[in-house]
Amino acid sequence: MLVLLALQFGAASVAPVLVRCWGRRACYPLALAPAAALGWAVGHTARVTDGGAVVETYPWVPGLGLDLALRVTTLSWLMVVLVGGIGALVLVYCAGYFDADEPGLGRFVAIFVCFVGAMLGVVVADNLLLLYVFWELTSVCSYLLIGQHPEQAASRRAATQALIVTTLGGLAMLVGFILVGEHAGTYRWSEIEARPPPGGAYLVVAVLLIVAGVVTKSALFPASFWLPAAMAAPTPVSAYLHAAAMVKAGIYLVALLAPVYADVGPWRPLLFVAGAGTMLLGGWAALRQVDLKLLLAYGTISQLGMLTVLVAAGDPDAALAGTTLLLAHALFKATLFLVVGIVDQRAGTRDLTVLSGLWRRMPLVGAVALLAAASMAGVPPLLGFVAKEAVFEAFVGDPPLLAALVAGSALTAGYTARFVWGAFADRPGAEPTPTRPVEPVLLLPAAALAVAGLALGPFAGGVGEALRTYPGVFGATDHHLALWHGPGLALGLSATALAGGLLLFVLFRPVRPALARLRAPFDGDTAYQYVARVLDRLAVEVTGATQRGSLPQYLGIILLVLVVGPGGVLLFGDVRPHVAAHWENPLQAVVGVVLVVAAVLAVRARRRLTAVILVGLTGYGTGLLFLLHGAPEVALTQFLVETVTIVIFVLVLRRLPTHFSRRRLRRIRWGRIGLGLAVGTVMAGLVLVARASRQAAPVSENFPQLARDFGYGRNVVNVILVDIRAWDTLGEISVLVVAGTGVASLIFQFRRRPSRARRPDLPAPGPERVWLRAGSTLHIRRRSIVLEVVVRLIFHTIVIFSIFLLWSGHNGPGGGFTGGLVAGLALALRYLAGGRHELDQAAPVDASVVLGTGLLFAIGTGLLALPLGGQVLQSARVDVHLPLVGDVHLVTSVFFDIGVYLVVVGLALDILRSLGAEVDHQIEVEEAPGGGLRTSGEQTPGVRG
C-alpha cells in the first residue's frame, strides 16, 4: 500500500513534465497510477472478502504515536476500488475533454493525481492522525482543482469557501481524534476497535467534534452550500469529487467509526437529523435547477444525506444497504457528470431550458445517460434499484425514517426525470441544439461506468457476498442482496418512490416559474458570507489597533510580556536559583566585561553603522565564550553567523539614514534601556532556576554514545543536527527557504535571475573572457582593483574549504550549515569586491533553484530509508573498498547535510541578489535617471585573462 501511495505522488511529480512533452495525451500513462490501485484491490479481493485484512506498518514519528499504519478491510477495499477505478477513467476522459493548448493542464493533472493519492491515504490509513493528514490533503487538492481558473472570480471564491469550511471542520475532527487516541492509549483504529476505551463525557465531546468534521466534509446540512459553488471546477473534477473523492471521505469515516460509536448518545440523533434533512432539502433544490451540473450537485447532496443515515445506523441491514448504495452512487453519479461534460463541450451549454433534441444528435451519449439515470432513480434491473430496495428493507421497523427515505427517493426520481428530459428530449417549438461529434475517448469512460451499474444489478448476490464482512461487524443478518425478492413492502415502496418522482416531475413543470421566485430568508451561503464579512471587519479593527508599523513597539510588547510573566513567577514564586561558579577561566570574565561595554555603547551609539559593529562585537564575544567553554563547533558557527549578519546589516543600511533619529526621545530611550536590563535579568534568572529545577538526567548525557553507535560520527553537534534532531533541522531549513523567498519577494521588481537575464541592455561579453567583471560595470569611485584581484584569487580556495567543512563535519568541526555559511561568505566577498555582475559570474544560477534543490535533497535522502526498512532520516553506514583509495566509510546522513549546505548557500545568494544586487540596481536608476552612472570601463578597460 505504501508503494501505491508513493506511485500516486510520484506520478503527480512528473505529470507537468509529461504534459509538457506529450500534451493532453500524457493523461493516458498517468491513468496507470490510479489503475494500479484498482488492480491491487482486485488482486486482494479473496483475502479481504473472506474477512481478512491487509496490514502494513512503517515507523514514522514514534514519539507522537504517529506511524505509517495502513490497513485494508472490506469497507476500505471498496473505497480503493472506487478511488482507483474512477480516478483512472476520469484521467482518460481528461485526454479528450481538455483542449490541446489548455493553459495549466500540467498543473491540473498533477494535482488530480495527487488528489487520488490523498483519497487513497484516507481510506487505507489505520492511524487516526495519519488519516487526518490525508484528510486535510484532500481539502488542499480540492482547493487547487476548484480554483483551476484563478482569473475567474467564481473559481477563486468557490475554492476559498470549500477550503475554509472543510478545514474548520477538519480541525474540530482532529481535536476529537486526539481525545479518542489519548483515552485509548493508541491512535491505531484497529486497536481501538478491538478494545474500545470506556465512555464518558470526553467521548460525547469527541463524537460531536468528529461529526462536525463529517458534516463539513460531506456537505451535510447546514454546511451544504460549498458543494454547489464548487461546480466552478472543471467537469472531470466534479465527477471525481462527487463520485469517489472528498465528499465520500465523510461517509467513509462515519461507516468506519459506526461499529464502535453508533451507540454513543449524540451519534444517531445528530447524523439522522443532518442526513435526513440534507436528503430532503437537497432533493428539493435539485428539482429547481436549470443548470445540469448544479442539478447533479444538489442531487449529490441529497444522496449524501441518505448515505449518512444508512452508515450511521449501526445496523447490519443498514450497513449492507449503505455500502451497496455507496457503490451504485459512485457509478451513476460519475457517469452523469461525465455526460454533462460531453454535453457542455459539444453543445456549448448546460442550460436544460435551452437544450433540445440531443437524443437525436447524440444517441450513444443519451443511452449512456439513460442507463445511469435509471440507476440513480432506482429502476430495475440496475444496481441502484437493488440498493434502494435494500434501503427500504433495512428501515421497515423505523416508520419516520422510512417515510423520509421514501420521500427522498421520490425526489431523486423526480430530478432524474427532469435531468433526462431537459438534456435530451425535444423541446416544443425549438430547433435541435447544434452539436459537434463526440470522440470515443469522451464516451468510453462514461459508458464503462454505466455498463458496470447495469451488469452488477443481476449479479447483486455476488456484490452482497463481497461486502458481507462489513455488515457482519454489527451482527448477523438474514437479508441478502438480490435483483428480485418477490412481491413485498420494499418492492411496493420502490414503485411508490418512482411513481411519486414522475408525479413530481409532471406537476413541477407548470409551477416551476412561480417556485423559482420563492427564496428562503437566508441560506448557508448567505450565513457564510455574513460571518466572513464580520470576521474580516474584526480583523481589520484588531490589526489597526495593534499593528502600528513600529518594530520597536512590537518587540517591546513581546519583551514586556516576558518580563511580567516569567519574571513575575521568578519574583513571587517559590523558586530557587542554582548557585554556580562565576567563571571557569579568568578569560571568560574579561570577555564578559567586553560584552557589557559593547552592549552599553551600542545602546548609546548615534550612528547606525557604529551600533551594528558594536552589536556584532557582542556576537563575537559570545563565540569566544563558547570557545573558552570547550565548544569549538558552536563557536565556529557563532562567528560565521555573526559575520553573515553584519554583511546583511551593511547591505540594508545603504537604504537607511546614517544616524538614528535626532528627536528628543530621552524618556523613551531610558525606558528601552530599563526594559533591556529587565529582560537580561529575567533571562539570567530563568537559566539559573532552570538548572536548579532539573529533576531528571539531561538527555544530552547519552548523545556522545548515541553519536558513535547510531550516528557513526564523533562530532556530537553535527550528529545532533543531521541524525538525532534531524526533524528539527529539516524544519529549520524549510523556514530558511520560506525566509529567503519572502525577502526576495519584498525586494525584487523582476524575477530572481542573474543580472544579465534581467538586463539584456548590458554589454555582451566579447570573445575574450573578462576576468574582473567590475571593470565595465562598476563605477570608478567604487572600485578597488587590489581587493578584486585578492578576492578572485582566494575565492575558489574558500569554496573548496567550505566543501571540506561539509565532508569533515561528521567527525570534526564543520558540517553542512558551517560549510554553507563559508561558501556564502565567499559569494559575499565576490559581490563586495566587484558588484552584482561579479556575483553573477561567480554564481550564474537562480537562487531559488539552489534553495529548492537543497530542500528536495534533504527530504529525499530522509525518505530513502523507508523502502529499505528504516525510519525517516535514519542514518546508515556504508563501507566500501576502493582500489586506489582503500577503505571508505560513508554515512548516509552526509547527503542530508549536503541538502543543508545547498539551502544555506541558496539563502546567502538570495540575500545578496535581493538586498545587494537588486538594491544596487534600484540605487543606480534613482541616481542616474538621464543615462546612468559612468562606469570605470569608460576610462579603464576591464582586466582580461
Side-chain angles (χ1 to χ4, degrees):
M1 288 178 280
L2 183 63
V3 174
L4 282 179
L5 294 174
L7 178 62
Q8 311 307 315
F9 296 121
S13 65
V14 301
V17 178
L18 294 181
V19 172
R20 190 178 300 118
C21 296
W22 297 339
R24 58 183 181 176
R25 291 176 298 175
C27 293
Y28 297 129
L30 290 171
L32 295 175
L38 173 62
W40 181 91
V42 172
H44 289 81
T45 300
R47 180 176 178 181
V48 172
T49 55
D50 287 341
V54 184
V55 180
E56 295 180 10
T57 304
Y58 305 92
W60 188 10
V61 190
L64 297 178
L66 185 59
D67 50 10
L68 296 177
L70 311 176
R71 187 170 182 263
V72 169
T73 56
T74 303
L75 178 65
S76 48
W77 170 84
L78 173 62
M79 288 299 299
V80 171
V81 170
L82 297 178
V83 170
I86 296 178
L89 290 174
V90 172
L91 275 173
V92 172
Y93 178 87
C94 289
Y97 179 84
F98 291 105
D99 296 331
D101 57 348
E102 178 75 20
L105 181 58
R107 169 184 172 274
F108 171 86
V109 175
I111 297 171
F112 187 92
V113 179
C114 185
F115 197 15
V116 175
M119 269 307 298
L120 280 176
V122 168
V123 300
V124 304
D126 189 36
N127 186 298
L128 292 179
L129 296 180
L130 181 63
L131 188 151
Y132 170 75
V133 171
F134 285 115
W135 180 283
E136 290 303 309
L137 186 56
T138 61
S139 295
V140 173
C141 291
S142 66
Y143 164 76
L144 296 172
L145 290 171
I146 295 170
Q148 169 66 11
H149 301 292
E151 70 280 0
Q152 300 175 6
S155 292
R156 298 194 303 271
R157 177 177 174 275
T160 304
Q161 188 179 78
L163 180 67
I164 291 175
V165 172
T166 57
T167 301
L168 286 177
L171 290 173
M173 184 190 73
L174 174 62
V175 178
F177 281 172
I178 293 174
L179 287 174
V180 170
E182 290 302 313
H183 281 83
T186 177
Y187 287 92
R188 294 280 293 273
W189 176 248
S190 57
E191 298 177 1
I192 297 174
E193 187 177 23
R195 296 182 299 276
Y202 87 91
L203 190 56
V204 174
V205 175
V207 165
L208 291 173
L209 293 171
I210 293 172
V211 168
V214 170
V215 167
T216 56
K217 197 73 163 183
S218 291
L220 301 178
F221 179 82
S224 307
F225 55 89
W226 71 263
L227 189 57
M231 294 304 97
T235 301
V237 176
S238 302
Y240 194 64
L241 187 88
H242 289 245
M246 193 165 80
V247 294
K248 291 293 179 63
I251 304 300
Y252 166 78
L253 183 61
V254 173
L256 180 70
L257 304 184
V260 177
Y261 298 132
D263 294 326
V264 175
W267 178 272
R268 286 193 181 96
L270 277 177
L271 290 175
F272 280 178
V273 170
T278 302
M279 174 180 60
L280 298 175
L281 293 175
W284 178 252
L287 272 174
R288 303 177 56 179
Q289 303 307 312
V290 296
D291 186 316
L292 292 176
K293 203 171 176 183
L294 279 178
L295 187 153
L296 292 179
Y298 282 103
T300 296
I301 292 173
S302 178
Q303 294 286 311
L304 290 171
M306 180 178 290
L307 283 167
T308 301
V309 172
L310 297 175
V311 298
D315 175 78
D317 292 341
L320 179 60
T323 50
T324 308
L325 184 60
L326 183 67
L327 173 60
H329 178 266
L331 296 177
F332 64 66
K333 192 52 65 76
T335 303
L336 292 175
F337 267 109
L338 297 181
V339 166
V340 169
I342 295 173
V343 171
D344 192 17
Q345 286 277 12
R346 296 301 178 255
T349 181
R350 302 192 303 258
D351 192 336
L352 54 79
T353 63
V354 175
L355 292 167
S356 177
L358 287 190
W359 72 275
R360 300 177 185 275
R361 296 183 176 272
M362 297 179 175
L364 292 178
V365 175
V368 169
L370 187 61
L371 277 177
S375 183
M376 181 165 68
V379 176
L382 289 107
L383 184 62
F385 167 76
V386 177
K388 288 292 176 65
E389 277 215 329
V391 170
F392 298 147
E393 190 71 34
F395 286 89
V396 168
D398 193 339
L401 270 180
L402 181 62
L405 291 168
V406 173
S409 299
L411 288 169
T412 301
Y415 66 70
T416 300
R418 180 168 168 76
F419 175 89
V420 175
W421 185 268
F424 294 97
D426 292 324
R427 189 169 304 284
E431 293 292 326
T433 304
T435 63
R436 292 181 290 141
V438 179
E439 295 86 351
V441 69
L442 286 174
L443 183 59
L444 288 178
L449 293 169
V451 170
L454 174 63
L456 291 177
F459 293 98
V463 174
E465 282 298 310
L467 301 177
R468 62 182 171 82
T469 306
Y470 172 68
V473 175
F474 299 94
T477 176
D478 295 330
H479 183 72
H480 64 279
L481 296 181
L483 182 61
W484 177 251
H485 287 285
L489 179 61
L491 181 62
L493 292 176
S494 295
T496 301
L498 285 173
L502 292 176
L503 184 63
L504 279 173
F505 169 66
V506 172
L507 296 179
F508 190 81
R509 294 182 65 191
V511 299
R512 188 189 66 81
L515 291 176
R517 290 192 292 270
L518 295 177
R519 291 288 184 270
F522 74 95
D523 54 17
D525 186 61
T526 303
Y528 169 84
Q529 296 299 332
Y530 175 78
V531 172
R533 287 195 299 270
V534 170
L535 291 177
D536 287 342
R537 186 60 192 172
L538 180 63
V540 170
E541 295 295 336
V542 172
T543 302
T546 59
Q547 303 293 312
R548 296 292 186 177
S550 171
L551 291 178
Q553 176 184 342
Y554 302 155
L555 185 59
I557 292 174
I558 294 172
L559 296 178
L560 187 61
V561 171
L562 173 67
V563 171
V564 173
V569 174
L570 289 177
L571 188 60
F572 301 105
D574 184 17
V575 294
R576 292 177 300 172
H578 172 76
V579 180
H582 298 295
W583 56 73
E584 297 175 353
N585 188 325
L587 290 178
Q588 291 176 331
V590 177
V591 175
V593 172
V594 172
L595 285 174
V596 172
V597 172
V600 172
L601 292 177
V603 173
R604 296 181 54 83
R606 297 289 185 179
R607 295 176 60 90
R608 296 181 188 271
L609 183 59
T610 303
V612 167
I613 294 174
L614 290 170
V615 170
L617 184 58
T618 63
Y620 287 121
T622 304
L624 275 176
L625 289 178
F626 289 145
L627 188 63
L628 293 172
H629 197 66
E633 172 77 16
V634 182
L636 176 61
T637 304
Q638 174 68 24
F639 290 144
L640 292 172
V641 168
E642 199 61 45
T643 304
V644 171
T645 304
I646 291 177
V647 171
I648 295 173
F649 267 124
V650 170
L651 295 177
V652 173
L653 289 181
R654 296 180 301 166
R655 297 297 259 173
L656 296 174
T658 58
H659 290 74
F660 291 108
S661 174
R662 296 182 179 276
R663 292 177 297 171
R664 296 184 178 276
L665 300 175
R666 180 171 298 179
R667 186 178 303 173
I668 295 177
R669 172 171 291 182
W670 281 108
R672 292 175 179 174
I673 292 174
L675 181 59
L677 291 173
V679 169
T681 303
V682 169
M683 291 306 300
L686 288 176
V687 170
L688 295 175
V689 169
R691 291 194 62 181
S693 304
R694 182 183 296 278
Q695 301 294 325
V699 295
S700 58
E701 289 182 354
N702 298 323
F703 281 2
Q705 188 68 31
L706 291 173
R708 289 192 299 270
D709 296 343
F710 298 99
Y712 309 106
R714 294 189 299 272
N715 184 349
V716 180
V717 174
N718 183 259
V719 174
I720 290 173
L721 294 175
V722 300
D723 187 289
I724 300 174
R725 303 295 295 272
W727 278 105
D728 292 349
T729 304
L730 184 61
E732 289 161 3
I733 63 175
S734 301
V735 171
L736 286 179
V737 172
V738 174
T741 304
V743 169
S745 65
L746 292 173
I747 301 297
F748 271 98
Q749 299 175 358
F750 305 93
R751 293 182 60 187
R752 289 187 291 175
R753 293 177 292 178
S755 298
R756 171 158 297 284
R758 293 183 284 107
R759 295 289 310 279
D761 56 305
L762 292 176
E768 294 183 86
R769 181 181 178 186
V770 178
W771 193 56
L772 297 180
R773 178 65 64 184
S776 58
T777 59
L778 198 62
H779 193 275
I780 189 171
R781 295 195 302 269
R782 300 175 182 170
R783 290 201 65 192
S784 171
I785 295 180
V786 174
L787 178 61
E788 292 176 41
V789 171
V790 171
V791 168
R792 197 62 187 271
L793 290 174
I794 67 174
F795 173 75
H796 298 90
T797 303
I798 299 176
V799 172
I800 292 173
F801 178 64
S802 74
I803 297 174
F804 167 78
L805 290 175
L806 165 66
W807 286 99
S808 67
H810 211 61
N811 291 298
F817 188 74
T818 303
L821 289 174
V822 172
L825 288 173
L827 293 173
L829 285 174
R830 288 290 293 269
Y831 164 73
L832 294 173
R836 67 180 186 273
H837 304 295
E838 186 77 10
L839 175 65
D840 292 340
Q841 190 174 35
V845 62
D846 195 331
S848 60
V849 173
V850 182
L851 285 168
T853 302
L855 186 60
L856 183 63
F857 208 88
I859 295 174
T861 54
L863 294 176
L864 190 60
L866 280 179
L868 302 178
Q871 299 181 16
V872 179
L873 298 173
Q874 181 178 344
S875 297
R877 188 174 68 180
V878 180
D879 298 325
V880 295
H881 180 78
L882 300 178
L884 299 179
V885 179
D887 293 331
V888 176
H889 307 285
L890 186 63
V891 182
T892 55
S893 58
V894 172
F895 298 102
F896 177 81
D897 225 6
I898 293 175
V900 176
Y901 177 90
L902 291 175
V903 168
V904 175
V905 172
L907 178 65
L909 185 59
D910 217 2
I911 291 174
L912 290 172
R913 287 246 170 86
S914 54
L915 298 179
E918 183 65 13
V919 172
D920 282 348
H921 172 64
Q922 295 173 13
I923 291 174
E924 290 178 7
V925 171
E926 294 172 2
E927 291 181 351
L933 289 173
R934 178 170 55 85
T935 66
S936 62
E938 298 173 8
Q939 293 185 359
T940 306
V943 180
R944 301 183 181 275

